[in-house]
Amino acid sequence: MIAERKRDSAQEQFVEARRSQILDAATTVFAAKGFERATIRDIAKTAGVADGTIYNYFENKMAIMLGIVNRLNESDRREEDLRQIEGMDTRTFTRRYIAHRLGMFTGKELELFQVVIAEVLTNRELRDLYMKQIIEPTFAISEAHFRRQMAKGKVNADDIPLTMRAISGMFLGLLLLRIMGDTYLESHWDAVPDLFANLLLDGIDKTE
Amino acid sequence: MIAERKRDSAQEQFVEARRSQILDAATTVFAAKGFERATIRDIAKTAGVADGTIYNYFENKMAIMLGIVNRLNESDRREEDLRQIEGMDTRTFTRRYIAHRLGMFTGKELELFQVVIAEVLTNRELRDLYMKQIIEPTFAISEAHFRRQMAKGKVNADDIPLTMRAISGMFLGLLLLRIMGDTYLESHWDAVPDLFANLLLDGIDKTE
Amino acid sequence: MIAERKRDSAQEQFVEARRSQILDAATTVFAAKGFERATIRDIAKTAGVADGTIYNYFENKMAIMLGIVNRLNESDRREEDLRQIEGMDTRTFTRRYIAHRLGMFTGKELELFQVVIAEVLTNRELRDLYMKQIIEPTFAISEAHFRRQMAKGKVNADDIPLTMRAISGMFLGLLLLRIMGDTYLESHWDAVPDLFANLLLDGIDKTE
Amino acid sequence: MIAERKRDSAQEQFVEARRSQILDAATTVFAAKGFERATIRDIAKTAGVADGTIYNYFENKMAIMLGIVNRLNESDRREEDLRQIEGMDTRTFTRRYIAHRLGMFTGKELELFQVVIAEVLTNRELRDLYMKQIIEPTFAISEAHFRRQMAKGKVNADDIPLTMRAISGMFLGLLLLRIMGDTYLESHWDAVPDLFANLLLDGIDKTE
DNA sequence: CATGAATGAGGATTCATTCAT
DNA sequence: TATGAATGAATCCTCATTCAT
């Protein structure tokens, strides 16, 4: 039984590795061509497998896309990230947090984000999934954190949910502009966390 | 000659009306299905013309997309908008300006924006066009305005271009969240300009 | 009545001129692109008229092709050509006749021939028309002439119809090779009548 | 490794058979309707495969045409044909050679020829290919042979290249007339080699 | 008669998906 | 499981033809 479990586990690991390999390939191809323009053959070639093999791991093309979105699910939102730096002073915390989150969108992750946003904008089903699974939980965590900080008298806002959306919006929008190839943003990307923090705090900071 | 000119002009107007009719239809269809999933037949039916008629007005499907982008070009960026309200106090100006710009993205315009952003994210050619024709000129105007305000001692920023990008980013991001169906944002959309202005100004305002 | 006839005649002449103008254009376009690849718009533009105008003169595209074939009908086969030079000695006659017939296929006429042959090869209806109206009458005239010469003891052949076909074949084939762009033939085209006549009259045998 | 080679070879043979099957079908369809009027569906149905299958073996419709032309390349021109009968007396050789070459154009081959000639007349690219790959090599071989015979004092000609073209022209032209449905030629086809040989060797002149 | 915009049938080609090996 | 050939539905686009002006 142990042997079997081991085999199962090895098996599972193999399957997971294959899925991952295909998702990696799909992310690259989707980022380069968009979901519709990307072909199964493109993905298969990039993954180094045959066309048919893809269908042993994903039911159809859309399932690959969902697989990609679910990856965000795993990597995107980690409450502990917040906890670790929560003790610092507000400005440092904000700067660090923004830097950390921006740092999560580098290279492959930025591609991933690009792919998902683009598709989310044209696919209601995916859009709803993305809202429910990614955006809303993220807002919930952020709000909770914000309320804690407000309780400590560190920040202030009249409408917390809307403020969260504005802040997230700035984050999203900056990523969007970056993806769209804004050259200034690209060359000054490292300066973004500080600027973001200052812009943000000198509005919401009440500690002074 | 006058008669001929008149006829030409009538002809031109007719052609322009047809183009517009097709672009309207295309915007709707693209917004509903995305560029690739939308078919020429969809667009033709929505526009109430035959498939082939489309090709009397646009060279191919992508040209329709470009036509849509160029519409943004016409409607999106108007320096005079800034001039009209420039005399007001900073807070009122900001609130009004944001409200005005957000007001430009209602219904059809929001669809337009959604369509273009989605496609821009997956099409390099279109992306470059969009950056050159829409985003960069908008930044140029905003920067000029910001510098004028800074000279008057009304606002402050270390890195103006980056600040512009952050502000635009917040704007873009809020639209994006709205499009993606965030319910809170939808039901509190009217509160956005005030919140935006306060958040923004208490960061950049130096008049106090 | 005379006035009316005159008007009719002027009218007819005009119609004929327009038809001719369109047929000229069609010949050029067909020669350049082939019947199927040529579009009515191509022909209309080349003729300097509107698309619809074509249909006032020809029922449909194929009717234009038939119009072209019927032109051959008028220009191709003239018994009097033979009569004029029939008194000469056989070699001179042959040389002159070949030169004359080859001379008929220059520039525009060669295009015409190319167009018709190409289409005749892929269109049974046209093929039959061409055989009945052009080839067979030509053979009839040639045969009659050949029989007269044979009766005078000037030439000899066992199977006159087959000999006629062989000779015509050589003629056709040389035109074909010319059309297909054989460079040697093109640069030595003037030498063809002599060579043709000698080959025909004497053969190549030297062993006797 | 041997097994693998065997499999490769079997695979290759299979692919070659499929290509052949499609080319056969295409030849039939092209002969019946011409290249442009023939549809991929026609060809697929005739070949007994699905439309899409065609594209696993040929890049596009024109590639099928090129495949047909290349078949001529393989079957059309064989120097050894000449060598085998070169020892015979001139008249027998000529008769045999003509008979042999004409025999090569029977049924399917005649269709092939028809298809290619028709398309060659309306497609410059194909025309150039055909001249370079089929016609010119054939002329080269014929000329070499003719020069050998002339050196032996067996035949005579002032302008060998032009003479070759005239002879080939007769050959081409007779095929053309045959294809065009000349009934006399059809019913006396067997008499063609003899007549061709006599005409060629002796000419028709009787005056001397 | 001349025009050229509108029409929509038709065709080449692509590509997600299946399935026999 | 892996493969990749086969499938055929789906789509963009062309173009002969019509017809209102």
Side-chain angles (χ1 to χ4, degrees):
Chain A
M1 209 171 90
I2 287 171
E4 179 139 308
R5 181 127 47 99
K6 220 187 226 162
R7 184 147 58 76
D8 274 8
S9 165
Q11 184 66 10
E12 270 170 37
Q13 261 185 293
F14 179 75
V15 166
E16 212 39 58
R18 260 290 206 274
R19 279 181 61 91
S20 201
Q21 171 190 8
I22 292 168
L23 288 179
D24 282 347
T27 303
T28 303
V29 177
F30 286 162
K33 303 181 144 197
F35 178 75
E36 288 291 339
R37 276 185 285 269
T39 70
I40 290 291
R41 181 156 304 176
D42 287 334
I43 298 170
K45 265 186 188 155
T46 305
V49 299
D51 298 15
T53 304
I54 305 262
Y55 288 86
N56 290 328
Y57 297 90
F58 297 92
E59 196 182 339
N60 52 33
K61 202 181 166 188
M62 182 51 73
I64 304 176
M65 192 71 218
L66 295 179
I68 289 176
V69 173
N70 283 329
R71 272 190 164 182
L72 284 183
N73 217 355
E74 297 158 12
S75 70
D76 200 27
R77 161 189 41 113
R78 302 226 186 85
E79 194 161 7
E80 64 271 29
D81 294 343
L82 283 172
R83 297 279 182 199
Q84 282 179 11
I85 51 179
E86 208 162 81
M88 305 168 176
D89 74 284
T90 306
R91 191 165 305 266
T92 309
F93 164 80
T94 308
R95 203 183 296 133
R96 289 266 181 99
Y97 181 61
I98 297 292
H100 171 70
R101 292 300 297 254
L102 281 180
M104 287 170 60
F105 292 91
T106 323
K108 201 75 185 174
E109 305 295 330
L110 202 61
E111 270 187 357
L112 200 66
F113 176 76
Q114 172 186 349
V115 165
V116 171
I117 289 294
E119 196 53 20
V120 149
L121 283 174
T122 53
N123 186 320
R124 170 167 296 276
E125 185 193 357
L126 202 66
R127 184 153 64 229
D128 294 343
L129 180 80
Y130 186 69
M131 282 306 286
K132 293 277 176 291
Q133 299 207 346
I134 315 285
I135 301 290
E136 286 173 11
T138 304
F139 278 152
I141 292 169
S142 303
E143 274 189 43
H145 170 76
F146 198 89
R147 280 181 210 283
R148 285 197 299 276
Q149 298 303 312
M150 211 163 114
K152 291 183 196 162
K154 295 196 171 173
V155 295
N156 186 34
D158 291 336
D159 185 332
I160 297 178
L162 211 51
T163 304
M164 289 300 99
R165 276 147 183 85
I167 297 172
S168 300
M170 189 181 286
F171 191 85
L172 277 178
L174 281 164
L175 283 175
L176 213 59
L177 286 171
R178 171 83 203 271
I179 286 171
M180 277 158 53
D182 185 273
T183 49
Y184 193 90
L185 211 43
E186 203 161 350
S187 56
H188 294 74
W189 196 239
D190 292 341
V192 167
D194 269 17
L195 183 125
F196 197 129
N198 291 337
L199 191 56
L200 197 61
L201 285 180
D202 294 340
I204 60 173
D205 194 355
K206 227 191 154 189
T207 54
E208 58 200 77
Chain B
M1 209 172 91
I2 288 170
E4 179 138 308
R5 182 127 47 98
K6 217 187 230 161
R7 185 149 56 74
D8 276 8
S9 165
Q11 180 65 11
E12 271 170 37
Q13 261 183 294
F14 181 77
V15 165
E16 211 39 57
R18 260 283 204 278
R19 280 181 59 93
S20 204
Q21 171 191 8
I22 293 168
L23 287 180
D24 284 346
T27 303
T28 303
V29 177
F30 286 162
K33 302 184 150 193
F35 178 75
E36 289 291 340
R37 274 186 287 268
T39 69
I40 290 292
R41 180 155 303 176
D42 287 335
I43 298 171
K45 266 185 187 156
T46 304
V49 298
D51 296 17
T53 302
I54 304 269
Y55 290 89
N56 289 332
Y57 296 89
F58 296 93
E59 198 180 339
N60 52 34
K61 203 181 165 189
M62 181 52 71
I64 304 178
M65 192 71 218
L66 296 180
I68 289 177
V69 173
N70 282 329
R71 271 190 165 182
L72 284 184
N73 214 358
E74 295 159 14
S75 71
D76 200 29
R77 163 188 40 112
R78 303 228 184 84
E79 193 161 7
E80 65 269 30
D81 294 344
L82 284 171
R83 297 280 182 197
Q84 284 178 9
I85 50 179
E86 206 162 84
M88 306 167 174
D89 74 284
T90 307
R91 191 164 306 267
T92 309
F93 164 81
T94 307
R95 201 183 299 130
R96 290 269 180 95
Y97 182 63
I98 295 294
H100 171 70
R101 292 302 298 255
L102 280 180
M104 287 169 60
F105 291 92
T106 322
K108 201 77 186 173
E109 305 295 328
L110 201 62
E111 269 188 356
L112 202 67
F113 177 76
Q114 172 186 350
V115 166
V116 171
I117 289 294
E119 196 53 20
V120 150
L121 283 174
T122 53
N123 184 321
R124 170 167 296 275
E125 187 194 356
L126 201 66
R127 183 152 66 229
D128 293 343
L129 181 80
Y130 186 69
M131 283 305 287
K132 293 276 176 294
Q133 298 208 345
I134 315 284
I135 300 293
E136 286 173 12
T138 304
F139 279 152
I141 292 169
S142 303
E143 274 189 44
H145 171 76
F146 198 90
R147 279 180 210 284
R148 283 196 300 275
Q149 298 303 311
M150 209 164 116
K152 292 183 195 162
K154 296 196 170 172
V155 295
N156 187 32
D158 290 338
D159 186 332
I160 297 177
L162 211 52
T163 304
M164 290 300 99
R165 276 147 183 86
I167 298 171
S168 300
M170 188 180 287
F171 191 86
L172 278 176
L174 281 164
L175 284 175
L176 212 59
L177 286 170
R178 170 85 204 268
I179 287 170
M180 275 158 54
D182 184 272
T183 49
Y184 192 90
L185 211 44
E186 204 161 350
S187 56
H188 295 73
W189 195 240
D190 292 340
V192 167
D194 269 16
L195 182 125
F196 198 129
N198 292 337
L199 190 57
L200 194 62
L201 285 181
D202 294 341
I204 59 173
D205 193 354
K206 226 193 154 186
T207 55
E208 60 199 81
Chain C
M1 209 172 90
I2 286 171
E4 179 139 308
R5 179 126 48 95
K6 221 187 224 159
R7 184 148 57 75
D8 275 10
S9 164
Q11 184 66 11
E12 271 170 36
Q13 261 184 295
F14 179 74
V15 166
E16 211 40 57
R18 260 288 207 277
R19 279 181 60 92
S20 201
Q21 171 190 7
I22 292 168
L23 288 179
D24 283 346
T27 303
T28 303
V29 176
F30 286 163
K33 304 181 143 195
F35 178 75
E36 288 291 340
R37 275 185 285 267
T39 70
I40 290 291
R41 179 157 303 176
D42 287 335
I43 298 170
K45 265 188 189 154
T46 305
V49 299
D51 297 16
T53 304
I54 305 261
Y55 288 87
N56 290 328
Y57 297 89
F58 296 92
E59 196 183 340
N60 53 32
K61 202 181 166 189
M62 181 53 71
I64 304 177
M65 192 72 217
L66 296 180
I68 290 177
V69 172
N70 282 329
R71 272 190 164 181
L72 284 183
N73 217 355
E74 295 158 13
S75 70
D76 201 28
R77 161 188 40 111
R78 303 226 185 85
E79 193 162 5
E80 64 270 29
D81 294 343
L82 283 170
R83 295 283 182 197
Q84 283 178 10
I85 51 177
E86 206 161 84
M88 305 168 176
D89 73 285
T90 307
R91 191 164 306 266
T92 308
F93 165 80
T94 307
R95 200 183 298 133
R96 290 269 180 93
Y97 182 62
I98 296 294
H100 171 70
R101 292 301 299 254
L102 281 181
M104 286 170 60
F105 291 92
T106 322
K108 201 75 186 173
E109 305 295 328
L110 200 62
E111 271 188 354
L112 199 68
F113 176 76
Q114 173 187 349
V115 166
V116 171
I117 289 294
E119 197 52 21
V120 149
L121 282 173
T122 52
N123 185 321
R124 170 167 297 276
E125 186 193 358
L126 203 66
R127 186 153 64 228
D128 293 344
L129 180 81
Y130 186 70
M131 283 306 286
K132 292 278 176 292
Q133 298 207 345
I134 316 283
I135 300 291
E136 285 172 13
T138 305
F139 278 152
I141 293 169
S142 303
E143 273 188 45
H145 170 76
F146 198 89
R147 279 180 211 284
R148 284 196 300 275
Q149 299 302 310
M150 210 164 115
K152 290 183 194 164
K154 295 196 170 172
V155 296
N156 188 34
D158 289 337
D159 185 332
I160 296 177
L162 212 52
T163 304
M164 290 300 99
R165 276 148 183 84
I167 297 172
S168 300
M170 187 180 288
F171 191 85
L172 278 176
L174 281 164
L175 284 175
L176 214 59
L177 287 170
R178 172 82 203 273
I179 287 170
M180 277 159 52
D182 184 273
T183 49
Y184 193 90
L185 211 45
E186 202 162 350
S187 55
H188 295 73
W189 196 239
D190 292 340
V192 167
D194 269 18
L195 183 126
F196 197 127
N198 292 337
L199 190 57
L200 194 61
L201 293 174
D202 305 330
I204 58 171
D205 193 11
K206 227 192 153 189
T207 55
E208 63 198 79
Chain D
M1 209 172 91
I2 287 171
E4 178 138 310
R5 181 127 46 97
K6 218 186 229 159
R7 186 149 55 74
D8 275 10
S9 164
Q11 181 65 11
E12 271 171 35
Q13 261 184 293
F14 182 76
V15 166
E16 210 40 56
R18 260 286 203 276
R19 280 181 60 92
S20 205
Q21 171 190 7
I22 292 168
L23 288 180
D24 283 346
T27 304
T28 302
V29 177
F30 286 164
K33 301 183 149 194
F35 177 76
E36 288 291 341
R37 275 184 287 269
T39 70
I40 290 291
R41 179 156 302 177
D42 287 335
I43 298 171
K45 268 188 186 155
T46 304
V49 298
D51 297 16
T53 304
I54 304 268
Y55 290 87
N56 290 332
Y57 296 89
F58 296 92
E59 197 181 339
N60 52 33
K61 203 180 165 190
M62 181 52 72
I64 304 177
M65 192 71 218
L66 296 179
I68 289 177
V69 172
N70 282 330
R71 273 190 163 181
L72 283 184
N73 215 357
E74 294 158 14
S75 70
D76 200 30
R77 162 188 41 114
R78 302 226 185 85
E79 194 161 8
E80 64 269 29
D81 295 343
L82 283 170
R83 297 279 183 198
Q84 282 177 10
I85 51 178
E86 205 162 83
M88 304 167 177
D89 74 284
T90 306
R91 192 163 306 264
T92 309
F93 164 82
T94 307
R95 202 183 296 132
R96 290 267 180 94
Y97 181 63
I98 297 294
H100 171 70
R101 293 300 299 253
L102 280 180
M104 286 171 59
F105 291 92
T106 323
K108 202 76 185 172
E109 304 295 329
L110 201 62
E111 268 187 355
L112 201 67
F113 177 76
Q114 173 187 348
V115 165
V116 171
I117 290 293
E119 196 53 20
V120 150
L121 283 173
T122 53
N123 185 320
R124 170 167 297 274
E125 187 194 356
L126 201 66
R127 183 153 66 228
D128 294 344
L129 180 81
Y130 186 69
M131 284 305 286
K132 293 277 177 291
Q133 299 207 345
I134 315 284
I135 300 291
E136 286 173 10
T138 304
F139 279 152
I141 293 169
S142 303
E143 273 188 44
H145 170 75
F146 198 90
R147 280 179 211 283
R148 284 197 299 275
Q149 298 303 310
M150 212 164 114
K152 292 182 194 163
K154 295 196 172 174
V155 295
N156 187 35
D158 291 338
D159 185 331
I160 296 177
L162 212 52
T163 304
M164 290 300 98
R165 276 147 182 86
I167 298 172
S168 300
M170 189 180 284
F171 191 87
L172 277 176
L174 281 164
L175 285 174
L176 211 60
L177 287 170
R178 171 85 203 271
I179 287 170
M180 277 159 53
D182 184 272
T183 49
Y184 192 90
L185 210 44
E186 203 161 348
S187 55
H188 294 74
W189 196 240
D190 292 339
V192 167
D194 269 17
L195 182 124
F196 197 129
N198 291 337
L199 190 57
L200 194 61
L201 293 174
D202 306 329
I204 57 172
D205 194 11
K206 224 194 154 188
T207 55
E208 57 200 80

